[in-house]
Amino acid sequence: MSEAEHAGPGSAPPPRRTTLADVHERLGATFTDFGGWLMPVRYSSDLAEHHAVRQAAGLFDISHMAEFTVAGTDAGAFLDHALAGRLSTMPVGKAKYSLLLAESGGIIDDVIVYRLADDRFLVIANAGNREPAAGALRDRVAAFDGTVEVADVSDAYALLAVQGPAAQAVAAAVDGIAELGTPWDEQKYYAWTDASFLGEPMLIARTGYTGEDGFEMLVPVAVAEQLWGALMGAGEPLGLVPAGLAARDTLRLEAGMPLYGHELSLDIVPAQAGLARVVAADKESFVGKTALASIVSSAAPVLVGLVSEGRRAGRAGYALYAGDERVGEITSGALSPTLGHPIAMGFVPPAAAAPGTTLTIDVRGTRIPATVTALPFYRRKK
């Protein structure tokens, strides 16, 4: 996803509001246009929200994400064809990170797929890529002769994420969550369970985008505000705070997680972004496989992590140098709130990608030394 500029009068529709927008306004949030949605950037301060997630818990509204259901006897085979990973063998109750590739091998979007039943899946895509993802899935299902149905159900659901070491305690303290299919302390990472909230169906997944433990909760929009209130009521005594996009970005950067439009794009193939493991190359076929197989060059830039000393951080678009030669640029960068020093991700040639390599970042005319390091920058203690 990438932030979009506010459009001028008459040039584009105004950004959409999630069903929780009024709640965010009452909390005094600052907003921005993100992927065509008016989303909260922060409620108090970026640092306070970031540290709350690392030390206790944060609550995010991620209802701008797109959701698609895939149903039918050939649903698993269809996803094996449409996505880079192998989804047909994933057990019911599990979730899997995957990639939606173009015929060129470039990345249309990164998604998480949940197996709801033998013949039913849920695919969650990035908000800014809702239409490209929907179009690709619709085009690819045509070859399945009506045995598979793809439906965009994004507008029917709200998605909330509670993230942080206290996330389980917060979730378990919420009044109104009932019929929990799997007890909280038995829920596994990248798995989901069903439940109900105020009588409405609910999907709870132990997934997230912060590098912390946590849950993502999908509910009908009709009960989204009540769920937000119930989570805050249960969580505030445990340190839970509402958290916005600014904290979410520094959290995911510390965790080395790619952001679409920065580390992922149609011009990047999975191996360049360190995601070759996501591609099931032994599948007989999938969209993009032919192109990936034909890419034999080893000179394509690859994603690396970079750490620096001091307080001046490289930002997206800043140039990277090896000696006097410009070799790449930063895709994401910040002064890490948790680690206390600058971190960044960027693309450089393989010859400059070995951990320990010293490069420099051009920070507004000043060359700042940076050392290539393995990702992630931060890994939570288990």
Side-chain angles (χ1 to χ4, degrees):
M1 294 178 287
S2 60
E3 292 187 8
E5 297 293 335
H6 285 283
S11 60
R16 299 184 64 185
R17 293 162 58 92
T18 76
T19 192
L20 293 167
D22 290 347
V23 174
H24 306 319
E25 287 178 349
R26 291 197 294 271
L27 290 169
T30 302
F31 290 87
T32 190
D33 182 341
F34 186 87
W37 290 81
L38 192 66
M39 298 300 296
V41 179
R42 66 186 64 81
Y43 303 83
S44 56
S45 83
D46 303 349
L47 284 177
E49 293 167 21
H50 181 108
H51 288 313
V53 175
R54 288 279 181 254
Q55 297 165 11
L59 179 59
F60 299 87
D61 176 16
I62 52 173
S63 300
H64 58 316
M65 304 290 282
E67 292 90 23
F68 305 94
T69 54
V70 178
T73 53
D74 290 334
F78 163 69
L79 289 173
D80 282 352
H81 165 71
L83 301 178
R86 189 185 301 280
L87 290 310
S88 61
T89 57
M90 180 170 64
V92 174
K94 294 293 187 181
K96 192 170 190 175
Y97 179 81
S98 195
L99 297 170
L100 183 64
L101 302 181
E103 292 283 1
S104 65
I107 299 169
I108 296 174
D109 201 10
D110 58 334
V111 300
I112 296 181
V113 183
Y114 304 79
R115 189 158 201 167
L116 306 179
D118 287 342
D119 60 351
R120 189 173 178 84
F121 295 79
L122 174 70
V123 179
I124 297 187
N126 286 304
N129 285 332
R130 177 175 172 178
E131 292 308 320
L137 293 173
R138 279 197 302 266
D139 290 346
R140 294 169 192 187
V141 82
F144 282 76
D145 296 327
T147 61
V148 179
E149 292 185 356
V150 176
D152 184 341
V153 297
S154 308
D155 294 336
Y157 294 98
L159 189 60
L160 278 62
V162 56
Q163 300 279 295
Q168 181 177 313
V170 171
V174 172
D175 288 332
I177 296 179
E179 303 176 87
L180 193 64
T182 304
W184 292 109
D185 59 358
E186 295 179 16
Q187 294 182 32
K188 304 297 185 185
Y189 190 52
Y190 264 71
W192 66 271
T193 187
D194 54 358
S196 66
F197 179 70
L198 302 182
E200 296 289 342
M202 181 180 195
L203 182 147
I204 300 169
R206 201 156 204 158
T207 50
Y209 191 56
T210 63
E212 292 297 336
D213 187 21
F215 301 91
E216 294 179 321
M217 301 178 175
L218 187 75
V219 293
V221 294
V223 296
E225 187 168 339
Q226 291 94 325
L227 179 60
W228 177 280
L231 284 162
M232 288 305 306
E236 281 182 320
L238 299 168
L240 177 74
V241 302
L245 291 179
R248 191 169 172 82
D249 192 49
T250 49
L251 289 159
R252 71 90 194 169
L253 175 58
E254 288 181 346
M257 295 177 171
L259 177 65
Y260 200 90
H262 290 244
E263 287 76 40
L264 307 177
S265 76
L266 279 170
D267 297 324
I268 300 295
V269 300
Q272 288 180 266
L275 296 174
R277 68 185 186 285
V278 178
V279 179
D282 60 339
K283 285 194 302 186
E284 184 175 346
S285 66
F286 60 89
V287 177
K289 179 174 182 176
T290 301
L292 294 181
S294 68
I295 297 173
V296 297
S297 170
S298 61
V302 295
L303 186 67
V304 297
L306 295 154
V307 296
S308 305
E309 296 181 351
R311 309 292 289 176
R312 302 186 68 183
R315 305 289 182 179
Y318 286 11
L320 285 165
Y321 287 84
D324 292 329
E325 180 184 3
R326 177 169 175 154
V327 294
E329 68 177 38
I330 298 295
T331 51
S332 299
L335 178 62
S336 167
T338 303
L339 304 173
H341 58 73
I343 58 174
M345 293 194 285
F347 283 93
V348 300
T357 302
T358 299
L359 304 175
T360 57
I361 305 172
D362 187 336
V363 181
R364 298 180 177 180
T366 301
R367 297 285 184 86
I368 305 297
T371 302
V372 175
T373 187
L375 296 170
F377 303 104
Y378 165 86
R379 197 184 300 274
R380 69 183 172 91
K381 297 177 181 177
K382 298 182 180 179

